[in-house]
Amino acid sequence: MAPVKSRLCKTKKEMAVELAEYTADLSSKFCKERDKFTVVLSGGDLISWLWKLLEPPYIDSIEWSKWHIFWVDERVCGWDDADSNYKLAHDGFLSKVPIPAENINAIDKGLGAEGNAELAAERYEECLKDKVNQNIIRTHKSSGFPQFDLQLLGMGPDGHMASLFPGHDQINEKKKWVTSITDSPKPPPKRITFTLPVINYASYNVMAVCDIEQADSVAAALNHTKDVPAGRLIADVEVVWFLDQAAASKLHHGWWCSIL
Ligand SMILES: O=C(O)[C@H](O)[C@@H](O)[C@H](O)[C@H](O)COP(=O)(O)O
């Protein structure tokens, strides 16, 4: 199984610096190996921790034209809605880097605005399949599931990741690539989300978590004291949890020793 590692960061600033270095290293590796880099974003706080990538040396050295952007989950709404994860990423990150517009793969604009979660999930799965056929997304050899190069994920205080919430059925989906939820406990209620197999076949998974509100779920996920969706996160090559001190404060002693 791929190793689960963690990096303890003193401050959010330190986390942003570490995240930028980690992402830039993988960008350079995949651009060299594949001439492209598939990156999956989430919503929530994650985007606010990507600011370091917008500064030298990264802004000038990263091969942005080779990046292909996807979303691990999206709220079913218009692209210009305040709830939209696309808008969050666009305003805070994507509008500031030269990634070609055709490489940015957001939820279908019309279905999002109409609020049709089920169809929007089906359409997003078709979009992923098109990108597999164009050799942009790799597939995992034995399972045929898409295999993203890097996913940048966040976790909510209840231990959810993407829009896979505790006690909701979406976490058990084993065939679909993308599914929908219409009663999300975190507003807004309608969302589409990658399924657990898609999330877990990614080559590199980053889980970035800050603040005391998430500390119990960080401990549950990493010490496996309670079954929370984020506790099921694995990857093909490596999972790294980037934690600030507050988020890591309830991990048991053994885990602390392994990260200090
Ligand atoms: O649509 C969303 O809400 C996000 O994509 C979601 O999956 C996010 O990653 C987690 O909820 C963590 O969010 P925070 O970082 O805000 O806790």
Side-chain angles (χ1 to χ4, degrees):
M1 221 218 291
V4 178
K5 300 180 180 169
S6 68
R7 297 204 187 172
L8 183 63
C9 307
K10 285 201 186 67
T11 58
K12 289 181 184 158
K13 182 174 177 200
E14 195 178 302
M15 176 184 285
V17 170
E18 295 233 0
L19 270 177
E21 195 186 329
Y22 189 82
T23 303
D25 283 351
L26 287 178
S27 172
S28 127
K29 166 187 157 63
F30 281 104
C31 290
K32 206 174 292 161
E33 287 172 12
R34 311 186 54 223
D35 209 30
K36 48 185 82 70
F37 185 40
T38 54
V39 179
V40 177
L41 301 175
S42 53
D45 290 337
L46 188 264
I47 299 299
S48 68
W49 299 326
L50 299 182
W51 59 267
K52 188 69 190 170
L53 287 165
L54 305 174
E55 293 188 350
Y58 305 114
I59 188 75
D60 307 311
S61 59
I62 286 178
E63 294 177 89
W64 297 106
S65 64
K66 297 182 179 174
W67 280 40
H68 295 262
I69 299 289
F70 301 85
W71 275 265
V72 73
D73 70 339
E74 177 58 284
R75 292 94 180 271
V76 181
C77 58
W79 285 5
D80 54 359
D81 195 294
D83 277 333
S84 162
N85 283 344
Y86 164 78
K87 178 175 165 53
L88 180 75
H90 175 269
D91 295 355
F93 182 62
L94 298 172
S95 60
K96 303 170 200 281
V97 292
I99 300 175
E102 65 271 22
N103 293 6
I104 294 179
N105 301 282
I107 190 171
D108 182 88
K109 201 174 185 177
L111 293 173
E114 265 170 43
N116 194 330
E118 201 178 333
L119 264 186
E122 282 172 21
R123 189 68 60 81
Y124 205 59
E125 182 165 324
E126 283 163 22
C127 160
L128 300 188
K129 289 185 170 154
D130 282 348
K131 300 295 164 181
V132 165
N133 291 336
Q134 293 165 34
N135 262 329
I136 290 165
I137 303 174
R138 291 173 294 134
T139 49
H140 179 256
K141 275 196 198 76
S142 53
S143 71
F145 274 101
Q147 182 155 49
F148 291 94
D149 299 331
L150 171 65
Q151 294 186 123
L152 297 168
L153 307 171
M155 184 191 73
D158 59 355
H160 80 265
M161 64 175 173
S163 287
L164 303 176
F165 292 90
H168 286 254
D169 239 18
Q170 287 76 11
I171 187 87
N172 301 316
E173 175 60 53
K174 297 204 167 51
K175 290 200 182 107
K176 289 181 187 170
W177 294 8
V178 182
T179 191
S180 57
I181 178 168
T182 52
D183 59 351
S184 160
K186 177 178 179 179
K190 291 188 194 173
R191 292 148 170 266
I192 64 171
T193 180
F194 283 6
T195 58
L196 191 62
V198 173
I199 293 174
N200 279 346
Y201 278 121
S203 294
Y204 293 82
N205 270 325
V206 158
M207 177 60 85
V209 190
C210 285
D211 298 329
I212 193 69
E213 290 76 19
Q214 339 281 65
D216 282 327
S217 286
V218 167
L222 291 177
N223 296 155
H224 297 290
T225 47
K226 190 173 144 206
D227 182 22
V228 292
R232 302 207 202 170
L233 180 65
I234 55 172
D236 196 46
V237 180
E238 170 174 283
V239 183
V240 187
W241 285 68
F242 287 78
L243 302 170
D244 76 346
Q245 286 184 328
S249 59
K250 296 198 177 163
L251 284 170
H252 69 47
H253 186 67
W255 193 277
W256 272 101
C257 291
S258 72
I259 55 183
L260 288 175

